[in-house]
Amino acid sequence: MRNTEKRKKISIGVEDFKEIIDKDGYFVDKTLMIQELLESNAKVILFTRPRRFGKTLNQFMIRRFFEDEITEKGEKVDNGYLFDGLAITRCGEEILQHQQRYPVIFMTLKSAKQPNFEEAYKKICGALAEEFRRHQYLLAGNSLADDQKIMFQRIMAEQADYSAYNNALRFLSECLWQYHGKNTMILIDEYDVPLDKAYQNGYYREMVSLIRALFGDALKTNNFLQFSVLTGCLRVSKESIFTGLNNFKVLSITDARFDEQFGFTENEVENLLKAYGMASHLEETKEWYDGYRFGDADIFCPWDVINHVDRLCKEPDAKPQSYWLNTSSNELVKCFIDKANKTTRDEIERLIAGEPMEKFIRLELTYDEIDTSIDNLWSVLFTTGYLTQAGVTETGAYKLMIPNREVREVYKLQIQEWFRENILRNTENLTAFWKAVEKGNTECIENYLNRTLSNTISVFDTKAPDAEKENSYHTFLAGLLAGNSNWLVRSNVEAGEGFADIIIEPEDPDAGIIFELKHARVASGLNKSCENAITQIRNRRYEEYLKNDGRNKIVLYGIAFYKKRCKVVVERINGERD
């Protein structure tokens, strides 16, 4: 039995560092990031990492360390205790002298996801107003002039004009300087969400202008700025947003600096599992949630690991499942597959089989360039976590691969959706295939299946056991057959002395169709595998399922697959071979 005494609480979805500490939550210590920030000497740093890798939590941690926080009543808040026992407290006075010494502007743009510019603009104005309200202690006393107080109140009440909101971050930092006598730190979380949604909904140019003005005044020409940290998923081109910004560092997933500060290292995952008596679950956790490469570090997805441990606490026998992929629409993978030509479809298959693809990557793009070419989509899939890298060639190409089992499932799901949309909508060819199945026309069936297999994206992992490969072909064939609304199609049906792969009950009440599928290890084994399939149907008497329903005109199919080739054998129930 696991020891449950004095265990920290698992915090799911808690983004504020202070809340985790106050509620005795388990915290993976990333506080040395603060020391790295102070030693970097950059005025503005942009961190780009995939979603759910701890960007927001790190921003809150930075805020709680540096902020000279004041309540609405003008009382100082002591947050020093939050860091007791953490690594940053052992870094010496040179670092600790900065603790709780600066005013901080903290703003997240992750809620700016509206379908039009007007609503998105209003949401951003609301986020600015909320941060002004957090600092409304500035309105007391004489640190602000009367006209500053009027402008402050207008912004806080969301009644200011467009130009005032463009200048709001710089204006607030000036007001904070007048009160505290110190320059301001500006922390912007999920800076690129408004741009992403604006591009998806057709108002990208308007949003670029707004964000450029908002950031330009705050980060480029702001004498009251100490330093700024921005986080996001995508490195948006400097020319589109950060024009003319000097002393600006972009630290992407390829940079070795700060490479262990987002996500969990293997040592951190081992310690977490041991803390909850789950050390034996390390290998499954690696298989599903490891595989990301940031700089020189191998990284696990923290969202997945925390959710998996939390579930294991309640269900000790729980198997890993997908958590990260369920937090997004995975639209990028869908777009990638939709745009793939035959060469790219082949590359996707090789990725799913675990083979790396060598590609030159653009780390800096504008959103309106993302889906203009397959090459750009390779780049974005890499920067957003749907691909990782296993090294760089001498020519500078990245060896891209799918990081782990969870993300592989994303591709498989999107491929299945693409298959339904692209293959099943060709009703003329599909109808001819269905008629061939009813008539026992093996030549027509083979031609259609071979042609479809050649033009689709397979998910038949070459490293998978034969049984798993058969399941993949089963899903492929069942999807084609189930499209016929006049058929009742059943899979893995208990029949006779076993389970038939696929049984079809056509509209004709006397007719029935049975499929048994096999995977051949070599192309020369296709014929033998077909024979084995027919023999299995006969020996296990699968036809009894249909006969019990009064169906006696029964067709038996043995189908064997090898990669993108298939062979079909058909028999009638009376033993006739077509």
Side-chain angles (χ1 to χ4, degrees):
M1 182 177 293
R2 292 172 179 162
N3 178 18
T4 58
E5 294 181 3
K6 297 182 180 179
R7 284 184 179 168
K8 299 281 187 181
K9 298 175 182 177
I10 297 289
S11 302
I12 303 294
V14 178
E15 297 179 321
D16 190 345
F17 166 76
K18 179 180 173 68
E19 184 178 349
I20 291 176
I21 300 301
D22 283 345
K23 292 184 177 180
D24 198 30
Y26 191 97
F27 176 69
V28 175
D29 191 347
K30 300 291 185 180
T31 56
L32 290 180
M33 179 183 183
I34 295 165
Q35 180 183 18
E36 288 188 66
L37 284 171
L38 288 168
E39 293 174 350
S40 70
N41 294 318
K43 199 74 170 178
V44 180
I45 295 180
L46 167 61
F47 291 104
T48 58
R49 294 293 188 276
R51 55 187 169 82
R52 299 296 186 179
F53 272 80
K55 299 187 296 294
T56 301
L57 178 58
N58 279 353
Q59 287 278 47
F60 269 107
M61 178 188 72
I62 295 166
R63 170 189 157 188
R64 297 301 184 186
F65 181 84
F66 286 110
E67 186 170 32
D68 180 13
E69 187 175 355
I70 306 296
T71 68
E72 183 180 340
K73 297 180 179 180
E75 298 169 345
K76 184 178 177 65
V77 178
D78 184 6
N79 285 320
Y81 73 93
L82 297 173
F83 296 86
D84 289 349
L86 298 178
I88 192 64
T89 61
R90 299 186 288 275
C91 290
E93 184 58 28
E94 184 177 355
I95 300 300
L96 294 179
Q97 66 177 329
H98 295 280
Q99 189 171 9
Q100 295 185 270
R101 290 292 185 269
Y102 304 93
V104 174
I105 296 173
F106 184 95
M107 186 177 177
T108 179
L109 297 179
K110 64 182 176 182
S111 296
K113 302 177 180 180
Q114 288 62 45
N116 56 66
F117 177 73
E118 291 72 22
E119 291 181 50
Y121 170 71
K122 185 176 180 180
K123 178 63 71 172
I124 292 173
C125 291
L128 287 165
E130 183 178 349
E131 187 62 6
F132 272 68
R133 284 191 289 273
R134 196 171 73 84
H135 293 287
Q136 62 183 302
Y137 61 88
L138 296 172
L139 295 172
N142 300 316
S143 64
L144 303 188
D146 289 343
D147 61 333
Q148 288 179 309
K149 289 183 179 180
I150 292 172
M151 179 58 69
F152 193 104
Q153 289 171 325
R154 285 178 178 170
I155 294 174
M156 190 169 66
E158 300 182 53
Q159 296 175 349
D161 59 23
Y162 188 86
S163 61
Y165 285 108
N166 284 349
N167 188 52
L169 291 177
R170 185 189 182 283
F171 173 66
L172 181 55
S173 62
E174 179 180 4
C175 294
L176 288 166
W177 177 83
Q178 291 175 207
Y179 181 95
H180 292 267
K182 295 264 183 137
N183 280 353
T184 301
M185 293 184 179
I186 299 179
L187 309 178
I188 308 293
D189 186 46
E190 305 284 9
Y191 88 100
D192 57 338
V193 167
L195 297 167
D196 180 19
K197 299 306 174 183
Y199 176 67
Q200 292 180 23
N201 290 293
Y203 57 93
Y204 182 68
R205 293 301 174 190
E206 296 96 319
M207 185 56 70
V208 166
S209 296
L210 173 61
I211 298 298
R212 182 189 292 130
L214 184 66
F215 289 174
D217 284 344
L219 306 180
K220 182 172 64 175
T221 57
N222 188 356
N223 294 327
F224 309 103
L225 176 67
Q226 183 68 19
F227 73 75
S228 179
V229 176
L230 292 84
T231 57
C233 289
L234 190 64
R235 175 180 172 177
V236 176
S237 170
K238 184 176 179 179
E239 284 67 36
S240 68
I241 299 296
F242 305 111
T243 305
L245 195 59
N246 298 320
N247 200 12
F248 174 77
K249 288 184 180 179
V250 180
L251 300 177
S252 69
I253 56 176
T254 64
D255 204 298
R257 293 168 292 182
F258 298 86
D259 56 1
E260 295 187 358
Q261 303 300 351
F262 296 88
F264 293 166
T265 65
E266 183 167 339
N267 184 59
E268 289 167 342
V269 172
E270 285 181 352
N271 290 336
L272 172 59
L273 291 171
K274 286 177 183 177
Y276 293 88
M278 299 174 184
S280 63
H281 291 271
L282 178 61
E283 288 308 310
E284 71 185 32
T285 306
K286 283 175 63 68
E287 178 189 2
W288 275 80
Y289 310 128
D290 189 15
Y292 300 93
R293 184 77 176 174
F294 296 167
D296 296 328
D298 292 314
I299 297 295
F300 289 69
C301 175
W303 176 254
D304 286 322
V305 174
I306 288 293
N307 273 278
H308 186 46
V309 172
D310 180 60
R311 190 171 180 216
L312 286 171
C313 287
K314 302 173 180 65
E315 303 173 45
D317 297 325
K319 301 298 181 184
Q321 61 179 256
S322 298
Y323 298 102
W324 184 78
L325 71 87
N326 292 327
T327 62
S328 174
S329 64
N330 303 305
E331 190 67 26
L332 281 172
V333 177
K334 183 178 185 299
C335 182
F336 182 53
I337 291 169
D338 284 343
K339 285 186 173 292
N341 55 26
K342 195 160 187 174
T343 298
T344 305
R345 291 200 295 270
D346 176 70
E347 291 173 327
I348 294 171
E349 292 172 8
R350 290 156 64 192
L351 280 172
I352 291 173
E355 183 180 343
M357 294 291 105
E358 295 182 4
K359 297 290 177 180
F360 290 97
I361 294 301
R362 288 182 63 191
L363 293 174
E364 192 171 274
L365 292 163
T366 57
Y367 268 92
D368 52 359
E369 292 176 312
I370 288 174
D371 62 357
T372 57
S373 73
I374 284 290
D375 289 338
N376 287 349
L377 281 169
W378 282 102
S379 297
V380 178
L381 288 167
F382 172 54
T383 58
T384 53
Y386 291 99
L387 294 172
T388 190
Q389 55 102 353
V392 182
T393 68
E394 292 183 357
T395 60
Y398 284 85
K399 299 176 182 178
L400 301 181
M401 59 191 304
I402 296 172
N404 52 45
R405 183 168 172 179
E406 182 192 30
V407 180
R408 187 174 288 109
E409 292 303 311
V410 176
Y411 284 87
K412 289 183 178 181
L413 289 170
Q414 293 299 332
I415 287 168
Q416 289 168 7
E417 183 177 325
W418 172 87
F419 174 81
R420 287 191 295 270
E421 291 179 356
N422 289 271
I423 302 300
L424 299 184
R425 71 185 175 191
N426 191 336
T427 55
E428 183 177 348
N429 289 339
L430 198 53
T431 299
F433 166 69
W434 293 332
K435 289 180 178 178
V437 169
E438 290 181 331
K439 293 178 179 179
N441 186 337
T442 56
E443 182 180 359
C444 181
I445 294 170
E446 280 184 11
N447 288 339
Y448 179 79
L449 291 178
N450 284 322
R451 186 170 64 250
T452 302
L453 284 167
S454 176
N455 291 324
T456 191
I457 306 172
S458 66
V459 291
F460 316 127
D461 189 339
T462 55
K463 299 178 181 178
D466 286 352
E468 290 186 21
K469 293 174 184 176
E470 284 185 18
N471 288 338
S472 295
Y473 288 114
H474 185 139
T475 301
F476 161 75
L477 181 59
L480 292 173
L481 298 171
N484 190 328
S485 60
N486 295 320
W487 289 350
L488 176 59
V489 180
R490 300 181 187 274
S491 290
N492 298 315
V493 184
E494 187 173 2
E497 297 179 1
F499 289 83
D501 281 340
I502 300 172
I503 290 181
I504 297 175
E505 298 177 30
E507 221 173 2
D508 181 350
D510 294 325
I513 304 168
I514 300 175
F515 285 90
E516 186 63 31
L517 281 63
K518 296 295 180 185
H519 169 258
R521 296 186 177 182
V522 293
S524 59
L526 284 169
N527 288 329
K528 180 62 175 176
S529 294
C530 284
E531 295 291 342
N532 291 341
I534 291 292
T535 300
Q536 180 174 324
I537 295 173
R538 291 289 194 178
N539 288 346
R540 297 184 183 179
R541 303 197 304 275
Y542 292 157
E543 70 276 5
E544 289 182 2
Y545 179 91
L546 292 168
K547 287 184 175 181
N548 290 338
D549 194 35
R551 295 176 181 267
N552 295 297
K553 295 193 300 184
I554 301 172
V555 182
L556 314 180
Y557 283 102
I559 302 186
F561 293 91
Y562 171 74
K563 294 186 177 179
K564 291 200 169 188
R565 296 170 62 181
C566 78
K567 179 70 178 176
V568 181
V569 170
V570 62
E571 279 190 4
R572 307 291 177 178
I573 198 62
N574 59 10
E576 294 178 1
R577 175 72 61 88
D578 288 358

